[in-house]
Amino acid sequence: MPPDKQQAVIDSGLAAVGFRPENQRLYPNGSLAAHILGAVDIDNFGIAGIEKWIDANWLADLRGAGLALKGRDLQPVELSIDLRVQYAMEQELGKAVTKFGAAAGAGLLLDVTNGEILALASYPAFDPNNPVDAFKPDRINRVTAGVFEMGSTFKALTTAMALESGRFDLESVVDASRPLSFGRQRIHDYRGKYRPLTVPEAFIHSSNIVMAKMAMTLGPEALRTFLGRFGVLSRLATELPESAAPLRPSSWSEVTTATVSFGHGIAVTPLQASMAVAALANGGRLIRPTFIKDSPVSERTIAESLLSANTSEAIRHLLRLNAAVGSATKADVPGYVIGGKTGTAEKVVQGRYSKVLNVTSFMGIVPADNPRYLLLTLLDEPRGLAETYGNRTSGWNAVPLGGALLHRILPMLLKPVFPSPSSAEAVPVATGEPSVDDSSSD
């Protein structure tokens, strides 16, 4: 009760009434970073998020020992979250979900050099001051506890595998003239070129046919092993208790290999996918993400040297190329070298792929030539608008959301670099065609 009410009871002179002090957990920022912080129950025991992690690791044991705990007696837990970035992410995510009429959305900013998470948002959120809301089905943490087919963002992994094998390079040409047929099943390209494509062309035009052919050339076991090394085939554990296991194929047939190569038929958490792409960008070091500031990187390094320096550099080049002239142009920010890949996946509804509902995502790195941060944006069931000409693929919604976020947060994190007119950046384009803003490709 508030102090004035307590004083009123004291002043009333009711001798039989006493007071017992108790601790209450308050969240002055309301719903900000709720999916990270979590919540506590009426007895102040953690029931979600970091609150539950702290209790499970040591705080509950101290309470059980009968210690009277006060804040000054405990060492604070400092999170890696940047509240400026977190606030911007939640604002822009809410705007995008509303604008595109999406059912939900999510966002993440990850430091690829040490795995620290600077921001994580899932929409709709909840207010930890009302902890019962944390258990509503639509309030789950979609970044760690939701699994999605990540679509064409998986093509970065497939391309890296192909380049690392030595059987393909950036000058390789793969025939994408005709769809692939597997009995009644056909794999085609969304707005494809339907001609032979170089690897860079296949990446920026997001060719399912080329990705499938490269994966099938190397074989099912090669793809499964490669994805497993990058951590997308097993549950990813972080400090957050909310963690979902991936939904992976029960068997790796030729058609499964073809579809998984472009992110179809396998569902992972967005954090898993982000960790894998971060390893592609940082030179091949797979680092378990963390929400704790200055957590030792060596203790969280799952694997090193997963890629050669040449392959990692090639992937960074392709990501940059895609942001400059491919499907991620709407994420480019003046003064910063952005790289990125888009993804659009059909949703599974009652066991069948829907033709009208999808999940769109964008994964960007910055600076693309020497990556420091990875940004993920995701929209669940976005709708086409008049300004998108009815399109609801990633280039029209998740990418502009990423661009709006990068415009807001990059000046807080990195110094912009503007080239002089005589040394303006020249982006090599290996397409054999005029550069176009093909934002609807995926």
Side-chain angles (χ1 to χ4, degrees), residues 174-178 193-198 201 205 431-433:
V174 180
D175 188 13
S177 301
R178 291 182 296 275
K193 301 302 176 182
Y194 293 101
R195 60 171 175 78
L197 299 173
T198 65
E201 286 179 310
H205 294 308
T431 64
E433 300 176 342

Side-chain angles (χ1 to χ4, degrees), residues 29 32-33 81-88 118:
N29 288 318
L32 187 64
I81 303 305
D82 185 323
L83 278 183
R84 304 167 304 168
V85 177
Q86 180 71 31
Y87 178 73
L118 279 74

